[in-house]
Amino acid sequence: MDFERENFDLSGPLHLTCVQWDNAHHRMSVAASLVQAVYILERDRQEKRKDQNALALPWWAFFHFQLLRPLVDDVDSSIFGAIFEFKPPLSPRNDTLYRSPRYVIAFRGTLTKQHSVSRDIELDIHFIQQGLHQTSRSTIALNAVRNMVATVGDSNVWLAGHSLGSAMALLTGKTLAQTGTFVESFLFNPPFVSAPIERIKDERVKHGIRFAGSVITAGLTLAMKAKQQQQGKQPLQQGKQPQQQKDLCVASFDALAAWVPGLFVNPSDHICSEYIGYFEHRRKMEEIGAGFIERLATQNSLGGLVMSAFGKESEALHLIPSASMTVNVIPARDFREAHGIHQWWQPDLRVERKLYKYK
């Protein structure tokens, strides 16, 4: 089964013989295939598959990409990402090439194989604890993207990732967006740490739980800010006045609004499905006139507030104001199918797309 899923000729998007770069399905399929290429690069390394026995090459070569270099974890030497360069044919008959990327930086998710699983799970735990930004792998990823963007410009670079890899891409994209650098991003099955509220069928109960959570989070946010101001413990950044520092968190969140990452979500995947409720709840709160509460709630997480109260730094990656969300509406047979990367290049895929932009 693993060989079949890793072999491009058996499970790849062979139907995409001519990529139309202005076609959303084609762009999604190529980005997902390059993420799969990173998975297979690491599997080739683990299985010592080389030359004609290696399986990774077709996953990028089919779309006229070349492997510029892999990104290697400094702890276990596993390949967790790769930089691909687009090399279209010299005589292209494709008037959509202006929408293509020059480079794609892709990140894989967790591999449950003995050579990499311990490090991947360690990073999964860091993500759950809102500390992925403090890991050496995230530093390697961020430096690679920053260097590429500095060389060729943000409009020529795509980010792509799946599962843990999408968290890595999201962290990198958010960090750059806060400085005004916006990289087009394809985040497949991005993890969202939360109780599985989206799986509740009763819409009134679901909305009630989310509303209560928003009120609690907003209330705690206001209480903590008031306490910090009262006790005079609000930390100052060099060169900032107290009032300026107080608004830094809000300004940072507002700066993200112009960045619209692509989220690719399956409702049957409890790892990522909460993104559906996250953005829909924001819309409903705006409609009922409770936008102020939700603006506070979406800039903070309960876990992050608790950690902050104990003086610990955290980064809740799911807190983003904008997204272009693509939802796979085909019922999944099981969790593996719902969370898998293969679903995103199927020719019979049916999706719903929504654009969310808030501050």
Side-chain angles (χ1 to χ4, degrees):
M1 179 61 73
D2 283 346
F3 176 81
E4 180 178 325
R5 294 175 65 84
E6 293 173 0
N7 190 304
F8 184 86
D9 291 333
L10 298 177
S11 62
L14 296 172
H15 59 285
L16 285 181
T17 55
C18 180
V19 175
Q20 299 299 309
W21 291 101
D22 58 353
N23 181 297
H25 178 79
H26 288 197
R27 292 158 67 86
M28 171 183 66
S29 299
V30 173
S33 296
L34 294 177
V35 173
Q36 175 70 347
V38 181
Y39 277 108
I40 312 307
L41 274 170
E42 172 56 15
R43 290 290 294 131
D44 282 346
R45 185 191 74 87
Q46 292 178 0
E47 297 297 321
K48 297 180 173 56
R49 298 186 300 224
K50 298 180 179 180
D51 301 325
Q52 70 272 17
N53 294 321
L55 297 177
L57 176 64
W59 288 96
W60 64 78
F62 186 81
F63 304 107
H64 304 292
F65 281 86
Q66 293 180 1
L67 175 63
L68 195 61
R69 69 180 178 94
L71 301 177
V72 178
D73 191 281
D74 63 336
V75 174
D76 67 354
S77 299
S78 65
I79 297 172
F80 72 89
I83 303 176
F84 300 100
E85 183 179 6
F86 184 46
K87 292 286 191 178
L90 294 177
S91 301
R93 297 180 179 179
N94 187 338
D95 58 6
T96 68
L97 284 174
Y98 71 97
R99 293 292 306 276
S100 66
R102 285 181 60 191
Y103 298 90
V104 177
I105 304 176
F107 305 101
R108 65 166 176 84
T110 301
L111 266 175
T112 56
K113 305 296 181 182
Q114 64 176 352
H115 300 284
S116 56
V117 65
S118 60
R119 174 61 169 162
D120 287 350
I121 290 179
E122 176 190 343
L123 291 163
D124 289 333
I125 294 172
H126 277 294
F127 170 80
I128 294 170
Q129 296 176 337
Q130 301 185 11
L132 188 63
H133 63 294
Q134 297 173 324
T135 65
S136 58
R137 182 180 289 189
S138 71
T139 300
I140 295 170
L142 180 58
N143 288 340
V145 177
R146 275 179 169 160
N147 291 338
M148 183 57 66
V149 168
T151 302
V152 303
D154 54 5
S155 63
N156 293 307
V157 178
W158 283 6
L159 287 177
H162 174 249
S163 195
L164 174 62
S166 67
M168 196 70 66
L170 178 56
L171 171 60
T172 302
K174 281 184 69 173
T175 303
L176 294 177
Q178 288 170 339
T179 63
T181 300
F182 307 117
V183 180
E184 186 162 359
S185 302
F186 297 78
L187 310 177
F188 300 100
N189 303 83
F192 191 114
V193 179
S194 170
I197 302 172
E198 192 59 28
R199 304 189 77 174
I200 298 173
K201 301 302 181 183
D202 191 311
E203 289 295 326
R204 290 181 300 177
V205 172
K206 185 159 56 177
H207 179 64
I209 293 173
R210 293 193 190 282
F211 184 86
S214 295
V215 171
I216 293 171
T217 304
L220 285 174
T221 301
L222 291 174
M224 289 188 64
K225 286 183 177 181
K227 184 177 180 180
Q228 288 174 339
Q229 291 173 353
Q230 184 179 19
Q231 295 179 350
K233 293 182 178 180
Q234 184 78 3
L236 296 179
Q237 283 190 3
Q238 186 176 5
K240 298 292 183 181
Q241 298 301 316
Q243 182 62 41
Q244 291 176 306
Q245 176 64 23
K246 184 179 72 172
D247 295 330
L248 278 177
C249 180
V250 174
S252 178
F253 192 80
D254 288 346
L256 292 174
W259 180 55
V260 187
L263 306 183
F264 299 85
V265 176
N266 190 310
S268 299
D269 176 11
H270 63 268
I271 289 178
C272 68
S273 62
E274 278 305 301
Y275 270 109
I276 300 172
Y278 172 81
F279 280 106
E280 278 299 294
H281 180 61
R282 178 72 187 267
R283 180 183 63 79
K284 290 177 182 178
M285 292 289 276
E286 295 283 351
E287 289 177 351
I288 66 175
F292 172 73
I293 294 175
E294 194 59 21
R295 279 193 291 276
L296 284 175
T298 53
Q299 292 173 22
N300 300 275
S301 69
L302 283 174
L305 290 171
V306 171
M307 294 178 71
S308 178
F310 286 95
K312 295 183 178 180
E313 182 186 355
S314 65
E315 171 71 27
L317 291 181
H318 66 274
L319 300 180
I320 52 176
S322 305
S324 174
M325 185 177 298
T326 299
V327 179
N328 182 356
V329 298
I330 300 178
R333 291 171 294 184
D334 51 34
F335 170 74
R336 183 178 183 182
E337 182 175 276
H339 190 64
I341 188 68
H342 288 69
Q343 65 185 297
W344 299 113
W345 62 69
Q346 298 306 316
D348 57 349
L349 180 65
R350 297 197 310 274
V351 301
E352 292 179 353
R353 293 185 172 91
K354 288 187 179 181
L355 177 65
Y356 301 94
K357 293 198 72 174
Y358 298 107
K359 289 186 177 180

